[in-house]
Amino acid sequence: MLLTRIFKNFIKVEKTGSLLLVAAFITSFVIANSNFAGKFNQILEFHFFHLSVKDWINEGLMTLFFLQVGLEIKRELVEGELKDLKVAGLPIFGAIGGMLVPALIYYTFTFNTHYTKGFGIPMATDIALSLAIISLMGNKIPASLKLFLAALAIIDDLGAIVIIAFFYTNQFQLTYLVILFLLLIIIAIISYKKVTYIPIYILFLIVLWIILYNAGFHPSIAGAIIAISIPFKEFNNEERVLFPMHKFVTYGIVPIFILVNALIDVRNVIFDNFLNNYTLGIFFGLTLGKPLGILLFCWLSIKLKFAKLALELNYRLLLGAGIFAGIGFTMSIFVALLSFSKTDELNQAKLIITIAGFTSAIGGIIYFKLVPNKIDKLKTI
């Protein structure tokens, strides 16, 4: 079956990518706590074409990350798990709950403080790490649960893109907003005309990035906009575009992003102030908010007949997937960079994101070891 083959390729890339991600994190941690840290930061702050090396990675290379995420979303909508509205309803509502409840928990902890801007941090799910770790459970995990988690994580990323676009922007520039509006109309027209000439989309990606940057938006969302506009069905073999792009982003861009941004200097962590409102909001948002929000909204969507459970799924399994969804990491760190400008606040945010990820991973493994009604006989991918 085509879907199974595509998903096998997808999860294989994500599992390998998770190893590179972990290696990049360890390298970044070692650098941050070594004598080379100062020199490394100097390299990252070197400017060319008005942006630093770090900015080109976070705003330039991450555009390709969002492009790949957008392509995955488009594929799911056209021919994947999100094509059937009833089937798609479960991960869609699960993702909504998995974003709203963590954000609400974070906001509760940070209400009436300047930390409220970080509400988007616990809303994310790291596709590579969550899929890699849930796959370690072997035949305890049915194929449908892996598909559910993958679809949920992709929708989470779409939610993060929307949040970044509207809540993590600089002051808007009216002139560029008008130009942006006209450019989006042109992109919509070429998409409607089903243009498949890739260089045109590359050109529009570059122009859109520049306009978004000058208009006050985070320019990386240009990748998602262009991805959604590509007429997927018109390509004879979309995997020729999607699969190499997926590998390039997962094996290259994401590890580079982590290497550059997961610089957690534990030597400068203020442990006396570690359990403050925003760190508690991040931790409990990811570890408790994610599973509770996912389970609650999945249950509501089924009761309201907006979604249905696949034959192999049950609420126990959905709760387990929700626990693994608390591994935010890559996107959580990305949002943290947009939320905190002070070095010590950002450092502690990245550390608590990492701790919450470890807690969710270990918690999920223990949960599936202890969960009743074993499903060892279920066929897995």
Side-chain angles (χ1 to χ4, degrees):
M1 182 172 141
L2 179 60
L3 174 62
T4 302
R5 179 171 58 81
I6 291 175
F7 187 72
K8 278 184 176 180
N9 289 334
F10 179 86
I11 199 169
K12 182 179 179 181
V13 171
E14 292 294 342
K15 286 169 69 175
T16 305
S18 68
L19 297 177
L20 294 174
L21 192 155
V22 171
F25 173 77
I26 293 172
T27 304
S28 181
F29 183 83
V30 171
I31 290 174
N33 293 277
S34 70
N35 295 329
F36 183 63
K39 184 67 175 178
F40 188 70
N41 281 312
Q42 285 181 5
I43 295 172
L44 296 181
E45 292 303 320
F46 177 77
H47 279 65
F48 61 98
F49 295 112
H50 306 293
L51 291 175
S52 67
V53 172
K54 188 174 183 178
D55 288 335
W56 278 114
I57 291 170
N58 293 344
E59 299 181 12
L61 286 183
M62 286 301 282
T63 302
L64 299 179
F65 170 82
F66 284 119
L67 176 63
Q68 186 260 319
V69 169
L71 288 172
E72 291 292 347
I73 293 169
K74 189 67 178 279
R75 187 193 70 79
E76 289 293 327
L77 289 171
V78 172
E79 60 182 31
E81 286 296 287
L82 304 184
K83 184 179 179 180
D84 184 332
L85 286 179
K86 278 283 187 178
V87 175
L90 200 64
I92 289 173
F93 278 92
I96 292 172
M99 289 186 283
L100 289 180
V101 175
L104 181 61
I105 289 175
Y106 180 89
Y107 190 79
T108 301
F109 275 101
T110 60
F111 177 72
N112 227 11
T113 72
H114 70 280
Y115 299 123
T116 53
K117 190 178 180 182
F119 73 94
I121 297 172
M123 296 172 70
T125 297
D126 192 290
I127 299 176
L129 288 176
S130 60
L131 282 179
I133 293 174
I134 200 172
S135 296
L136 294 176
M137 305 311 300
N139 59 3
K140 279 184 171 291
I141 305 300
S144 54
L145 190 67
K146 295 178 185 178
L147 286 166
F148 168 81
L149 183 58
L152 182 141
I154 290 170
I155 297 165
D156 259 7
D157 282 343
L158 175 61
I161 292 168
V162 174
I163 293 298
I164 290 167
F166 288 97
F167 295 97
Y168 293 91
T169 60
N170 299 316
Q171 187 174 356
F172 295 126
Q173 299 295 322
L174 183 59
T175 302
Y176 282 103
L177 280 176
V178 174
I179 297 172
L180 174 62
F181 178 73
L182 295 174
L183 184 61
L184 291 176
I185 291 176
I186 296 172
I187 292 172
I189 291 172
I190 67 168
S191 177
Y192 177 77
K193 293 293 185 180
K194 296 180 172 52
V195 176
T196 58
Y197 189 55
I198 293 297
I200 288 181
Y201 291 98
I202 295 174
L203 175 61
F204 274 108
L205 176 64
I206 295 170
V207 175
L208 183 60
W209 190 94
I210 294 171
I211 298 302
L212 284 168
Y213 178 82
N214 286 282
F217 290 95
H218 200 280
S220 62
I221 63 174
I225 295 172
I226 293 299
I228 295 297
S229 69
I230 294 176
F232 221 71
K233 279 188 174 181
E234 303 305 312
F235 288 90
N236 293 327
N237 186 359
E238 69 275 6
E239 285 185 85
R240 293 176 61 185
V241 176
L242 186 57
F243 192 57
M245 184 71 188
H246 187 195
K247 290 197 292 185
F248 175 68
V249 169
T250 306
Y251 296 162
I253 291 176
V254 173
I256 290 173
F257 172 80
I258 292 299
L259 176 66
V260 166
N261 291 289
L263 295 166
I264 304 172
D265 187 354
V266 295
R267 299 171 302 180
N268 295 327
V269 172
I270 306 173
F271 288 100
D272 290 342
N273 299 328
F274 190 69
L275 296 180
N276 57 43
N277 44 14
Y278 76 92
T279 56
L280 290 173
I282 293 172
F283 180 81
F284 288 111
L286 286 169
T287 58
L288 292 182
K290 272 290 182 183
L292 290 178
I294 290 169
L295 185 64
L296 175 61
F297 274 64
C298 282
W299 178 80
L300 282 174
S301 67
I302 293 168
K303 289 297 180 183
L304 296 173
K305 300 188 185 304
F306 292 142
K308 62 182 179 182
L309 276 171
L311 291 177
E312 295 176 329
L313 294 184
N314 56 51
Y315 291 119
R316 293 185 183 89
L317 292 175
L318 293 181
L319 179 57
I323 295 172
F324 282 127
I327 306 171
F329 208 57
T330 304
M331 189 60 75
S332 292
I333 289 177
F334 186 79
V335 178
L337 294 170
L338 304 176
S339 304
F340 302 116
S341 56
K342 293 182 180 179
T343 303
D344 59 333
E345 292 175 353
L346 178 59
N347 197 55
Q348 293 192 158
K350 290 188 289 188
L351 181 56
I352 203 68
I353 288 168
T354 305
I355 293 172
F358 274 112
T359 303
S360 295
I362 295 170
I365 292 171
I366 292 173
Y367 175 84
F368 276 111
K369 291 290 185 182
L370 300 178
V371 67
N373 295 342
K374 292 184 180 181
I375 50 173
D376 294 341
K377 294 181 180 180
L378 290 176
K379 186 178 179 180
T380 59
I381 288 180

